[in-house]
Each structure stands twice: as structure tokens, then as C-alpha cells.
Amino acid sequence: MAAAIESRVLDKRDENSERILKEDQDRINLFARLNARLDQLRGDLAALKKEKDNLEDASNELALAEETIKFKIGEVFVEMTSDEAEKYLAQTTESNAAAFARFEREKSQVEGQMSELKVQLYAKFGRSINLETDPED
């Protein structure tokens, strides 16, 4: 009885003990780096979305503002006219949108590379490797 159980355990171990070649390890490492980059991109996109919302709120408030206003840039309040503030908001909003689009494109590329690597690694290692990530979209 114990020999039968031991035999099944060894058989199961043998079917999952695929040899890991340097190319396989390189693919696994690349997947890990891409996954870390994807997490970073998700954080950057969330920060840009928050900044976009703040810029929209500031733009709405600017419509009600007086002729000169105090505008916070970084840690400092700067006194500006409404026109200067509108121009600054427009430039910042445009810059934000460009960065958001750039990060979205990079995120799509990273996800595509990760999908290709998943196919290759799952084809070789089957269920003995876990490449699933937590979706945070």
C-alpha cells in the first residue's frame, strides 16, 4: 500500500519535473520584469487619472475665479491672472493627456509580450508554473 502511494507521488513529480533551460529561465525572468513594469504602469496611469480629475476641477473653479488667483504649483503658491492660469492649465492638461496615452500604449505592449510568454511557458511547463497576475483594471 505504501509503495503504491509512493509510486503515484513519484510519477506525479516526474511528469511535472521538466528541465529548465537557460532560455526558459530567461523567459521567466523577462515575464517577472514585465509584470513589475505593468504594476508600475498601472500606478502611473492611476496617478495621471487623478491629476486629470484635479485639472478638470481646477478648470471649473477657474471659471468662477477673480482676476488674480493663487495657483499651487508643486509646493508653492504662485499668483497668476486668470488668463495665465487658463493657459497653464491647458498646457498641463495636454501634457497629462500625452503621458496618459504613452503609458496606455506601453501597457498594451507589455500585456502583449506577457501573453506571448505565457503561451510559450505554459506550453512547456503546463500547470507546474503559475503566471497569473491579479487584474487591477
Side-chain angles (χ1 to χ4, degrees), residues 87-122:
K87 187 176 180 180
Y88 176 79
L89 276 174
Q91 290 172 342
T92 306
T93 301
E94 185 178 313
S95 171
N96 178 289
F100 193 87
R102 188 176 64 249
F103 286 153
E104 276 290 332
R105 279 192 306 274
E106 185 178 352
K107 180 182 171 213
S108 294
Q109 291 172 345
V110 167
E111 288 173 333
Q113 287 178 305
M114 288 175 69
S115 293
E116 290 174 19
L117 286 169
K118 276 184 183 183
V119 168
Q120 294 170 0
L121 292 169
Y122 277 135

Coordinates of all heavy atoms in Angstrom, one line a residue, residues 87-122:
K87 N -4.1 79.3 -19.4 CA -3.0 78.8 -20.4 C -2.2 77.7 -19.7 O -1.9 76.7 -20.3 CB -2.1 80.0 -20.7 CG -1.1 79.7 -21.8 CD -0.4 80.9 -22.2 CE 0.7 80.6 -23.3 NZ 1.4 81.8 -23.6
Y88 N -1.8 77.9 -18.5 CA -1.1 76.9 -17.7 C -1.9 75.6 -17.6 O -1.3 74.5 -17.8 CB -0.6 77.4 -16.4 CG 0.1 76.4 -15.5 CD1 1.4 76.1 -15.8 CD2 -0.6 75.6 -14.6 CE1 2.1 75.1 -15.1 CE2 0.1 74.6 -13.8 CZ 1.4 74.4 -14.1 OH 2.0 73.4 -13.4
L89 N -3.1 75.7 -17.3 CA -4.0 74.5 -17.2 C -4.1 73.8 -18.5 O -4.1 72.5 -18.6 CB -5.4 74.9 -16.7 CG -5.6 75.0 -15.2 CD1 -6.9 75.6 -14.8 CD2 -5.3 73.7 -14.5
A90 N -4.2 74.5 -19.6 CA -4.4 73.9 -20.9 C -3.1 73.1 -21.2 O -3.1 72.0 -21.7 CB -4.6 75.0 -21.9
Q91 N -1.9 73.8 -21.0 CA -0.7 73.1 -21.3 C -0.5 71.8 -20.4 O 0.0 70.8 -20.9 CB 0.5 74.1 -21.0 CG 0.6 75.2 -22.0 CD 1.7 76.2 -21.6 OE1 2.1 76.3 -20.4 NE2 2.1 77.0 -22.6
T92 N -0.8 72.0 -19.1 CA -0.7 70.8 -18.2 C -1.6 69.7 -18.6 O -1.3 68.5 -18.5 CB -0.9 71.3 -16.8 OG1 0.0 72.4 -16.5 CG2 -0.6 70.2 -15.8
T93 N -2.9 70.1 -19.0 CA -3.8 69.1 -19.4 C -3.4 68.3 -20.6 O -3.5 67.1 -20.7 CB -5.2 69.7 -19.6 OG1 -5.6 70.4 -18.4 CG2 -6.2 68.7 -20.0
E94 N -2.8 69.1 -21.6 CA -2.3 68.5 -22.8 C -1.1 67.6 -22.5 O -1.1 66.4 -23.0 CB -1.9 69.6 -23.8 CG -1.4 69.1 -25.1 CD -1.1 70.3 -26.0 OE1 -1.8 71.2 -26.1 OE2 0.0 70.2 -26.7
S95 N -0.2 68.0 -21.6 CA 0.9 67.2 -21.2 C 0.4 65.9 -20.5 O 0.9 64.8 -20.8 CB 1.8 68.0 -20.3 OG 2.8 67.2 -19.8
N96 N -0.6 66.0 -19.7 CA -1.1 64.9 -19.0 C -1.7 63.9 -19.9 O -1.5 62.7 -19.8 CB -2.2 65.4 -18.0 CG -2.9 64.3 -17.2 OD1 -3.6 63.5 -17.8 ND2 -2.6 64.2 -15.9
A97 N -2.5 64.4 -20.9 CA -3.1 63.5 -21.9 C -2.1 62.8 -22.7 O -2.3 61.6 -23.0 CB -4.1 64.3 -22.8
A98 N -1.0 63.5 -23.1 CA 0.0 62.8 -23.9 C 0.7 61.7 -23.1 O 1.0 60.6 -23.6 CB 1.0 63.8 -24.3
A99 N 1.0 62.0 -21.8 CA 1.6 61.0 -21.0 C 0.7 59.8 -20.8 O 1.1 58.6 -20.8 CB 2.0 61.6 -19.6
F100 N -0.6 60.1 -20.6 CA -1.5 59.0 -20.3 C -1.6 58.1 -21.6 O -1.6 56.9 -21.4 CB -2.9 59.6 -20.0 CG -3.9 58.6 -19.5 CD1 -4.0 58.3 -18.2 CD2 -4.8 57.9 -20.4 CE1 -4.9 57.4 -17.7 CE2 -5.7 57.0 -19.9 CZ -5.7 56.8 -18.5
A101 N -1.7 58.7 -22.8 CA -1.7 57.9 -24.0 C -0.4 57.1 -24.2 O -0.5 55.9 -24.6 CB -1.9 58.8 -25.2
R102 N 0.7 57.7 -23.8 CA 2.0 57.0 -23.9 C 2.0 55.8 -23.0 O 2.4 54.7 -23.4 CB 3.2 57.9 -23.6 CG 4.5 57.4 -23.9 CD 5.6 58.4 -23.7 NE 5.7 58.8 -22.3 CZ 5.4 60.1 -21.9 NH1 5.0 61.0 -22.7 NH2 5.5 60.4 -20.6
F103 N 1.6 56.0 -21.8 CA 1.6 54.9 -20.8 C 0.6 53.8 -21.2 O 0.8 52.6 -21.0 CB 1.3 55.4 -19.4 CG 2.4 56.1 -18.7 CD1 2.2 57.1 -17.8 CD2 3.7 55.8 -19.1 CE1 3.2 57.8 -17.2 CE2 4.8 56.5 -18.4 CZ 4.5 57.5 -17.5
E104 N -0.6 54.2 -21.8 CA -1.5 53.2 -22.2 C -1.0 52.3 -23.3 O -1.2 51.1 -23.4 CB -2.8 53.9 -22.7 CG -3.8 54.2 -21.6 CD -4.5 53.0 -21.0 OE1 -4.6 52.0 -21.7 OE2 -4.8 53.1 -19.8
R105 N -0.2 53.0 -24.3 CA 0.4 52.2 -25.4 C 1.4 51.2 -24.8 O 1.5 50.1 -25.2 CB 1.1 53.2 -26.4 CG 0.1 53.8 -27.4 CD 0.9 54.5 -28.5 NE 1.9 55.4 -28.0 CZ 1.6 56.7 -27.8 NH1 0.4 57.2 -27.9 NH2 2.6 57.5 -27.4
E106 N 2.2 51.7 -23.9 CA 3.3 50.9 -23.3 C 2.6 49.7 -22.5 O 3.1 48.6 -22.6 CB 4.2 51.6 -22.4 CG 5.3 50.8 -21.9 CD 6.3 51.6 -21.0 OE1 6.2 52.8 -20.9 OE2 7.2 50.9 -20.4
K107 N 1.5 50.0 -21.8 CA 0.8 49.0 -21.1 C 0.3 47.9 -22.0 O 0.4 46.7 -21.7 CB -0.3 49.6 -20.3 CG -1.1 48.6 -19.5 CD -2.3 49.3 -18.8 CE -3.2 48.3 -18.2 NZ -4.6 48.7 -18.2
S108 N -0.2 48.3 -23.1 CA -0.7 47.3 -24.1 C 0.4 46.5 -24.7 O 0.3 45.3 -24.8 CB -1.4 48.0 -25.3 OG -2.6 48.7 -24.8
Q109 N 1.5 47.1 -25.0 CA 2.7 46.3 -25.5 C 3.2 45.3 -24.4 O 3.5 44.2 -24.7 CB 3.8 47.3 -25.8 CG 3.6 48.1 -27.0 CD 4.6 49.2 -27.3 OE1 5.4 49.5 -26.4 NE2 4.6 49.8 -28.5
V110 N 3.3 45.8 -23.2 CA 3.7 44.9 -22.1 C 2.8 43.7 -21.9 O 3.2 42.6 -21.8 CB 3.9 45.7 -20.8 CG1 4.1 44.7 -19.6 CG2 5.1 46.6 -20.9
E111 N 1.5 44.0 -22.0 CA 0.5 42.9 -21.8 C 0.6 41.9 -23.0 O 0.4 40.7 -22.8 CB -0.9 43.5 -21.8 CG -1.2 44.2 -20.4 CD -2.5 44.9 -20.4 OE1 -3.0 45.4 -21.5 OE2 -3.1 45.1 -19.3
G112 N 0.9 42.5 -24.2 CA 1.0 41.6 -25.4 C 2.3 40.7 -25.2 O 2.2 39.5 -25.5
Q113 N 3.4 41.2 -24.8 CA 4.6 40.5 -24.5 C 4.3 39.4 -23.5 O 4.8 38.3 -23.6 CB 5.7 41.4 -24.1 CG 6.3 42.2 -25.2 CD 7.4 43.1 -24.7 OE1 7.2 43.8 -23.8 NE2 8.6 43.0 -25.3
M114 N 3.6 39.8 -22.4 CA 3.3 38.8 -21.3 C 2.5 37.7 -21.8 O 2.7 36.5 -21.5 CB 2.7 39.5 -20.1 CG 3.6 40.4 -19.4 SD 2.9 41.4 -18.1 CE 2.4 40.1 -16.9
S115 N 1.5 38.0 -22.7 CA 0.6 36.9 -23.2 C 1.4 36.0 -24.1 O 1.2 34.7 -24.0 CB -0.5 37.6 -24.1 OG -1.3 38.3 -23.3
E116 N 2.4 36.5 -24.9 CA 3.2 35.6 -25.7 C 4.1 34.7 -24.8 O 4.2 33.5 -25.1 CB 4.1 36.4 -26.6 CG 3.4 37.1 -27.7 CD 4.3 38.0 -28.5 OE1 5.5 37.9 -28.5 OE2 3.7 38.9 -29.2
L117 N 4.6 35.3 -23.8 CA 5.5 34.5 -22.9 C 4.7 33.4 -22.1 O 5.1 32.3 -21.9 CB 6.2 35.4 -21.9 CG 7.3 36.2 -22.4 CD1 7.8 37.3 -21.4 CD2 8.5 35.3 -22.8
K118 N 3.4 33.8 -21.7 CA 2.5 32.8 -21.1 C 2.3 31.6 -22.0 O 2.4 30.5 -21.5 CB 1.2 33.5 -20.7 CG 1.2 34.2 -19.5 CD -0.3 34.7 -19.2 CE -0.4 35.5 -18.0 NZ -1.7 36.0 -17.7
V119 N 2.0 31.9 -23.2 CA 1.8 30.8 -24.2 C 3.0 29.9 -24.2 O 2.9 28.6 -24.1 CB 1.4 31.3 -25.6 CG1 1.4 30.2 -26.6 CG2 0.1 32.0 -25.5
Q120 N 4.2 30.5 -24.4 CA 5.4 29.7 -24.5 C 5.7 28.9 -23.2 O 6.0 27.7 -23.3 CB 6.6 30.6 -24.8 CG 6.5 31.3 -26.2 CD 7.6 32.3 -26.3 OE1 8.4 32.6 -25.4 NE2 7.6 33.0 -27.5
L121 N 5.6 29.6 -22.1 CA 5.9 28.9 -20.8 C 4.9 27.8 -20.4 O 5.2 26.8 -19.9 CB 6.1 29.9 -19.7 CG 7.3 30.8 -19.9 CD1 7.3 32.0 -19.0 CD2 8.6 30.0 -19.7
Y122 N 3.6 28.1 -20.6 CA 2.6 27.1 -20.3 C 2.7 25.9 -21.2 O 2.4 24.8 -20.8 CB 1.2 27.7 -20.4 CG 0.8 28.5 -19.1 CD1 0.1 29.7 -19.2 CD2 1.0 27.9 -17.9 CE1 -0.3 30.4 -18.0 CE2 0.6 28.6 -16.7 CZ 0.0 29.8 -16.8 OH -0.4 30.5 -15.7

